[in-house]
Amino acid sequence: MTLPDSETPRPLSKRETEIMEVVYRRGRATAADVQAELPDPPGYSSVRKQLEILERKGYLRHEKDGRRYVFSPTIVREEASSAALRRVVRNFFRGNVKAAMVALASLDDAPPTEEELNRILDQAEHARRRGR
């Protein structure tokens, strides 16, 4: 599922992000699966509660499998990542995408490869044609 620009998902806490990473990596996961893969895992009931919160926020859905709930993502990873990045650009760069791009480029220790530069230029040209 992808979301329209007006329906960006609600922000995630650090722990919620860690939980989503587990679910994205596995594709589907129970609370026990998530708890087993979390760094410094909280108790089972805490994991279960956080999965329910993620479901209310719209990131997850569940199916019953016997007595267990099996959770799966409702939003593709790329859309969730884009929404988080939009929030960072809006909150820390006052919406200035170019300033955010410069900051992101300076974080990388290695210069971009020719292929990466071409991809960036292609994306910039695509945005220019769309009038952005």
Side-chain angles (χ1 to χ4, degrees):
M1 171 182 167
T2 59
L3 299 171
D5 288 340
S6 63
E7 292 184 33
T8 59
R10 291 172 46 196
L12 298 178
S13 69
K14 181 179 182 215
R15 182 58 89 181
E16 289 171 337
T17 300
E18 291 171 342
I19 290 170
M20 287 304 300
E21 282 300 316
V22 171
V23 177
Y24 279 129
R25 189 171 45 254
R26 295 178 64 95
R28 303 178 54 190
T30 64
D33 295 332
V34 170
Q35 183 185 29
E37 292 191 33
L38 286 176
D40 190 27
Y44 176 84
S45 60
S46 293
V47 172
R48 176 65 192 229
K49 184 68 174 168
Q50 288 176 310
L51 287 164
E52 291 171 8
I53 290 169
L54 285 165
E55 190 169 19
R56 277 198 309 273
K57 285 185 173 184
Y59 284 91
L60 296 175
R61 67 174 160 261
H62 77 272
E63 299 172 356
K64 274 193 103 169
D65 181 15
R67 293 177 15 150
R68 305 177 319 157
Y69 280 21
V70 181
F71 293 86
S72 57
T74 60
I75 302 170
V76 294
R77 181 191 298 255
E78 292 76 17
E79 179 62 27
S81 297
S82 292
L85 190 54
R86 278 192 296 274
R87 279 190 296 278
V88 168
V89 170
R90 185 177 55 245
N91 294 336
F92 293 99
F93 296 93
R94 296 184 187 164
N96 186 331
V97 174
K98 292 164 217 62
M101 289 172 62
V102 169
L104 285 171
S106 69
L107 292 177
D108 203 348
D109 293 333
T113 65
E114 188 73 28
E115 181 180 322
E116 291 167 332
L117 281 174
N118 287 334
R119 184 166 177 236
I120 291 167
L121 291 171
D122 286 346
Q123 291 294 319
E125 182 58 35
H126 181 69
R128 181 180 301 153
R129 284 193 302 265
R130 289 191 330 232
R132 289 187 174 183

PDB file of all heavy atoms in Angstrom, residues 75-95:
ATOM      1  N   ILE A  75       2.261  -0.624   5.011  1.00  0.00           N
ATOM      2  CA  ILE A  75       2.910   0.405   4.213  1.00  0.00           C
ATOM      3  C   ILE A  75       4.244  -0.151   3.732  1.00  0.00           C
ATOM      4  O   ILE A  75       4.999  -0.709   4.524  1.00  0.00           O
ATOM      5  CB  ILE A  75       3.165   1.678   5.054  1.00  0.00           C
ATOM      6  CG1 ILE A  75       1.848   2.215   5.618  1.00  0.00           C
ATOM      7  CG2 ILE A  75       3.886   2.740   4.249  1.00  0.00           C
ATOM      8  CD1 ILE A  75       2.031   3.303   6.648  1.00  0.00           C
ATOM      9  N   VAL A  76       4.530  -0.013   2.444  1.00  0.00           N
ATOM     10  CA  VAL A  76       5.808  -0.496   1.942  1.00  0.00           C
ATOM     11  C   VAL A  76       6.936   0.305   2.585  1.00  0.00           C
ATOM     12  O   VAL A  76       6.775   1.484   2.918  1.00  0.00           O
ATOM     13  CB  VAL A  76       5.896  -0.435   0.392  1.00  0.00           C
ATOM     14  CG1 VAL A  76       4.916  -1.392  -0.247  1.00  0.00           C
ATOM     15  CG2 VAL A  76       5.684   0.968  -0.107  1.00  0.00           C
ATOM     16  N   ARG A  77       8.058  -0.351   2.797  1.00  0.00           N
ATOM     17  CA  ARG A  77       9.192   0.260   3.486  1.00  0.00           C
ATOM     18  C   ARG A  77       9.593   1.597   2.864  1.00  0.00           C
ATOM     19  O   ARG A  77       9.873   2.560   3.571  1.00  0.00           O
ATOM     20  CB  ARG A  77      10.383  -0.694   3.469  1.00  0.00           C
ATOM     21  CG  ARG A  77      11.603  -0.148   4.191  1.00  0.00           C
ATOM     22  CD  ARG A  77      12.843  -0.981   3.941  1.00  0.00           C
ATOM     23  NE  ARG A  77      12.721  -2.318   4.416  1.00  0.00           N
ATOM     24  CZ  ARG A  77      13.318  -2.774   5.521  1.00  0.00           C
ATOM     25  NH1 ARG A  77      14.048  -1.976   6.248  1.00  0.00           N
ATOM     26  NH2 ARG A  77      13.182  -4.023   5.886  1.00  0.00           N
ATOM     27  N   GLU A  78       9.612   1.661   1.548  1.00  0.00           N
ATOM     28  CA  GLU A  78      10.046   2.884   0.871  1.00  0.00           C
ATOM     29  C   GLU A  78       9.120   4.061   1.184  1.00  0.00           C
ATOM     30  O   GLU A  78       9.574   5.184   1.349  1.00  0.00           O
ATOM     31  CB  GLU A  78      10.136   2.665  -0.645  1.00  0.00           C
ATOM     32  CG  GLU A  78      11.237   1.718  -1.060  1.00  0.00           C
ATOM     33  CD  GLU A  78      10.932   0.233  -0.803  1.00  0.00           C
ATOM     34  OE1 GLU A  78       9.737  -0.129  -0.585  1.00  0.00           O
ATOM     35  OE2 GLU A  78      11.885  -0.559  -0.791  1.00  0.00           O
ATOM     36  N   GLU A  79       7.815   3.807   1.268  1.00  0.00           N
ATOM     37  CA  GLU A  79       6.865   4.875   1.591  1.00  0.00           C
ATOM     38  C   GLU A  79       7.051   5.347   3.027  1.00  0.00           C
ATOM     39  O   GLU A  79       7.016   6.553   3.308  1.00  0.00           O
ATOM     40  CB  GLU A  79       5.424   4.413   1.366  1.00  0.00           C
ATOM     41  CG  GLU A  79       4.397   5.460   1.706  1.00  0.00           C
ATOM     42  CD  GLU A  79       4.482   6.716   0.863  1.00  0.00           C
ATOM     43  OE1 GLU A  79       4.943   6.664  -0.283  1.00  0.00           O
ATOM     44  OE2 GLU A  79       4.084   7.780   1.375  1.00  0.00           O
ATOM     45  N   ALA A  80       7.264   4.409   3.947  1.00  0.00           N
ATOM     46  CA  ALA A  80       7.502   4.794   5.339  1.00  0.00           C
ATOM     47  C   ALA A  80       8.791   5.601   5.454  1.00  0.00           C
ATOM     48  O   ALA A  80       8.847   6.610   6.174  1.00  0.00           O
ATOM     49  CB  ALA A  80       7.563   3.555   6.223  1.00  0.00           C
ATOM     50  N   SER A  81       9.824   5.195   4.718  1.00  0.00           N
ATOM     51  CA  SER A  81      11.096   5.922   4.732  1.00  0.00           C
ATOM     52  C   SER A  81      10.929   7.322   4.156  1.00  0.00           C
ATOM     53  O   SER A  81      11.452   8.303   4.699  1.00  0.00           O
ATOM     54  CB  SER A  81      12.154   5.171   3.915  1.00  0.00           C
ATOM     55  OG  SER A  81      12.408   3.917   4.482  1.00  0.00           O
ATOM     56  N   SER A  82      10.200   7.429   3.056  1.00  0.00           N
ATOM     57  CA  SER A  82       9.970   8.737   2.436  1.00  0.00           C
ATOM     58  C   SER A  82       9.204   9.666   3.369  1.00  0.00           C
ATOM     59  O   SER A  82       9.519  10.854   3.475  1.00  0.00           O
ATOM     60  CB  SER A  82       9.193   8.589   1.130  1.00  0.00           C
ATOM     61  OG  SER A  82       9.992   7.952   0.171  1.00  0.00           O
ATOM     62  N   ALA A  83       8.208   9.129   4.050  1.00  0.00           N
ATOM     63  CA  ALA A  83       7.431   9.948   4.978  1.00  0.00           C
ATOM     64  C   ALA A  83       8.310  10.454   6.121  1.00  0.00           C
ATOM     65  O   ALA A  83       8.223  11.621   6.517  1.00  0.00           O
ATOM     66  CB  ALA A  83       6.246   9.147   5.526  1.00  0.00           C
ATOM     67  N   ALA A  84       9.172   9.581   6.644  1.00  0.00           N
ATOM     68  CA  ALA A  84      10.069   9.991   7.726  1.00  0.00           C
ATOM     69  C   ALA A  84      11.035  11.057   7.236  1.00  0.00           C
ATOM     70  O   ALA A  84      11.296  12.049   7.937  1.00  0.00           O
ATOM     71  CB  ALA A  84      10.828   8.780   8.259  1.00  0.00           C
ATOM     72  N   LEU A  85      11.550  10.888   6.035  1.00  0.00           N
ATOM     73  CA  LEU A  85      12.485  11.877   5.488  1.00  0.00           C
ATOM     74  C   LEU A  85      11.787  13.214   5.245  1.00  0.00           C
ATOM     75  O   LEU A  85      12.352  14.280   5.509  1.00  0.00           O
ATOM     76  CB  LEU A  85      13.122  11.346   4.204  1.00  0.00           C
ATOM     77  CG  LEU A  85      14.275  12.153   3.648  1.00  0.00           C
ATOM     78  CD1 LEU A  85      15.369  12.375   4.682  1.00  0.00           C
ATOM     79  CD2 LEU A  85      14.848  11.442   2.425  1.00  0.00           C
ATOM     80  N   ARG A  86      10.543  13.180   4.764  1.00  0.00           N
ATOM     81  CA  ARG A  86       9.782  14.428   4.581  1.00  0.00           C
ATOM     82  C   ARG A  86       9.644  15.174   5.906  1.00  0.00           C
ATOM     83  O   ARG A  86       9.763  16.404   5.956  1.00  0.00           O
ATOM     84  CB  ARG A  86       8.401  14.142   3.993  1.00  0.00           C
ATOM     85  CG  ARG A  86       8.400  13.955   2.486  1.00  0.00           C
ATOM     86  CD  ARG A  86       6.985  13.974   1.903  1.00  0.00           C
ATOM     87  NE  ARG A  86       6.148  12.882   2.360  1.00  0.00           N
ATOM     88  CZ  ARG A  86       6.116  11.672   1.801  1.00  0.00           C
ATOM     89  NH1 ARG A  86       6.882  11.387   0.771  1.00  0.00           N
ATOM     90  NH2 ARG A  86       5.315  10.746   2.267  1.00  0.00           N
ATOM     91  N   ARG A  87       9.395  14.430   6.999  1.00  0.00           N
ATOM     92  CA  ARG A  87       9.289  15.078   8.309  1.00  0.00           C
ATOM     93  C   ARG A  87      10.614  15.708   8.723  1.00  0.00           C
ATOM     94  O   ARG A  87      10.650  16.821   9.251  1.00  0.00           O
ATOM     95  CB  ARG A  87       8.831  14.073   9.372  1.00  0.00           C
ATOM     96  CG  ARG A  87       7.345  13.843   9.380  1.00  0.00           C
ATOM     97  CD  ARG A  87       6.894  13.055  10.584  1.00  0.00           C
ATOM     98  NE  ARG A  87       7.423  11.706  10.618  1.00  0.00           N
ATOM     99  CZ  ARG A  87       6.906  10.681   9.943  1.00  0.00           C
ATOM    100  NH1 ARG A  87       5.842  10.844   9.188  1.00  0.00           N
ATOM    101  NH2 ARG A  87       7.440   9.489  10.020  1.00  0.00           N
ATOM    102  N   VAL A  88      11.730  15.010   8.481  1.00  0.00           N
ATOM    103  CA  VAL A  88      13.045  15.554   8.826  1.00  0.00           C
ATOM    104  C   VAL A  88      13.312  16.828   8.027  1.00  0.00           C
ATOM    105  O   VAL A  88      13.747  17.842   8.578  1.00  0.00           O
ATOM    106  CB  VAL A  88      14.159  14.508   8.582  1.00  0.00           C
ATOM    107  CG1 VAL A  88      15.540  15.137   8.645  1.00  0.00           C
ATOM    108  CG2 VAL A  88      14.050  13.369   9.583  1.00  0.00           C
ATOM    109  N   VAL A  89      13.045  16.794   6.735  1.00  0.00           N
ATOM    110  CA  VAL A  89      13.275  17.973   5.888  1.00  0.00           C
ATOM    111  C   VAL A  89      12.404  19.130   6.370  1.00  0.00           C
ATOM    112  O   VAL A  89      12.875  20.267   6.492  1.00  0.00           O
ATOM    113  CB  VAL A  89      13.012  17.650   4.401  1.00  0.00           C
ATOM    114  CG1 VAL A  89      13.004  18.913   3.554  1.00  0.00           C
ATOM    115  CG2 VAL A  89      14.051  16.662   3.881  1.00  0.00           C
ATOM    116  N   ARG A  90      11.151  18.848   6.661  1.00  0.00           N
ATOM    117  CA  ARG A  90      10.245  19.905   7.116  1.00  0.00           C
ATOM    118  C   ARG A  90      10.680  20.459   8.482  1.00  0.00           C
ATOM    119  O   ARG A  90      10.732  21.670   8.684  1.00  0.00           O
ATOM    120  CB  ARG A  90       8.820  19.351   7.201  1.00  0.00           C
ATOM    121  CG  ARG A  90       7.771  20.391   7.536  1.00  0.00           C
ATOM    122  CD  ARG A  90       6.347  19.841   7.540  1.00  0.00           C
ATOM    123  NE  ARG A  90       6.200  18.694   8.430  1.00  0.00           N
ATOM    124  CZ  ARG A  90       5.907  17.451   8.031  1.00  0.00           C
ATOM    125  NH1 ARG A  90       5.708  17.169   6.766  1.00  0.00           N
ATOM    126  NH2 ARG A  90       5.807  16.473   8.900  1.00  0.00           N
ATOM    127  N   ASN A  91      11.049  19.578   9.418  1.00  0.00           N
ATOM    128  CA  ASN A  91      11.334  20.006  10.787  1.00  0.00           C
ATOM    129  C   ASN A  91      12.729  20.590  10.984  1.00  0.00           C
ATOM    130  O   ASN A  91      12.904  21.499  11.781  1.00  0.00           O
ATOM    131  CB  ASN A  91      11.127  18.848  11.762  1.00  0.00           C
ATOM    132  CG  ASN A  91       9.683  18.420  11.844  1.00  0.00           C
ATOM    133  OD1 ASN A  91       8.784  19.187  11.549  1.00  0.00           O
ATOM    134  ND2 ASN A  91       9.458  17.179  12.215  1.00  0.00           N
ATOM    135  N   PHE A  92      13.732  20.052  10.290  1.00  0.00           N
ATOM    136  CA  PHE A  92      15.107  20.470  10.535  1.00  0.00           C
ATOM    137  C   PHE A  92      15.692  21.356   9.444  1.00  0.00           C
ATOM    138  O   PHE A  92      16.701  22.017   9.658  1.00  0.00           O
ATOM    139  CB  PHE A  92      16.005  19.242  10.740  1.00  0.00           C
ATOM    140  CG  PHE A  92      15.674  18.490  11.991  1.00  0.00           C
ATOM    141  CD1 PHE A  92      14.881  17.362  11.938  1.00  0.00           C
ATOM    142  CD2 PHE A  92      16.129  18.925  13.221  1.00  0.00           C
ATOM    143  CE1 PHE A  92      14.553  16.666  13.094  1.00  0.00           C
ATOM    144  CE2 PHE A  92      15.808  18.238  14.381  1.00  0.00           C
ATOM    145  CZ  PHE A  92      15.014  17.109  14.319  1.00  0.00           C
ATOM    146  N   PHE A  93      15.067  21.353   8.279  1.00  0.00           N
ATOM    147  CA  PHE A  93      15.581  22.145   7.163  1.00  0.00           C
ATOM    148  C   PHE A  93      14.539  23.131   6.647  1.00  0.00           C
ATOM    149  O   PHE A  93      14.677  23.665   5.553  1.00  0.00           O
ATOM    150  CB  PHE A  93      16.058  21.227   6.030  1.00  0.00           C
ATOM    151  CG  PHE A  93      17.212  20.359   6.433  1.00  0.00           C
ATOM    152  CD1 PHE A  93      16.996  19.083   6.925  1.00  0.00           C
ATOM    153  CD2 PHE A  93      18.512  20.834   6.339  1.00  0.00           C
ATOM    154  CE1 PHE A  93      18.069  18.286   7.316  1.00  0.00           C
ATOM    155  CE2 PHE A  93      19.588  20.040   6.717  1.00  0.00           C
ATOM    156  CZ  PHE A  93      19.361  18.767   7.213  1.00  0.00           C
ATOM    157  N   ARG A  94      13.459  23.334   7.426  1.00  0.00           N
ATOM    158  CA  ARG A  94      12.383  24.254   7.054  1.00  0.00           C
ATOM    159  C   ARG A  94      11.843  23.981   5.653  1.00  0.00           C
ATOM    160  O   ARG A  94      11.532  24.901   4.904  1.00  0.00           O
ATOM    161  CB  ARG A  94      12.846  25.697   7.172  1.00  0.00           C
ATOM    162  CG  ARG A  94      13.195  26.097   8.574  1.00  0.00           C
ATOM    163  CD  ARG A  94      13.553  27.544   8.629  1.00  0.00           C
ATOM    164  NE  ARG A  94      14.051  27.829   9.967  1.00  0.00           N
ATOM    165  CZ  ARG A  94      14.724  28.903  10.265  1.00  0.00           C
ATOM    166  NH1 ARG A  94      14.981  29.811   9.351  1.00  0.00           N
ATOM    167  NH2 ARG A  94      15.145  29.105  11.479  1.00  0.00           N
ATOM    168  N   GLY A  95      11.820  22.724   5.282  1.00  0.00           N
ATOM    169  CA  GLY A  95      11.289  22.330   3.986  1.00  0.00           C
ATOM    170  C   GLY A  95      12.261  22.486   2.829  1.00  0.00           C
ATOM    171  O   GLY A  95      11.895  22.209   1.687  1.00  0.00           O
TER     172      GLY A  95
END
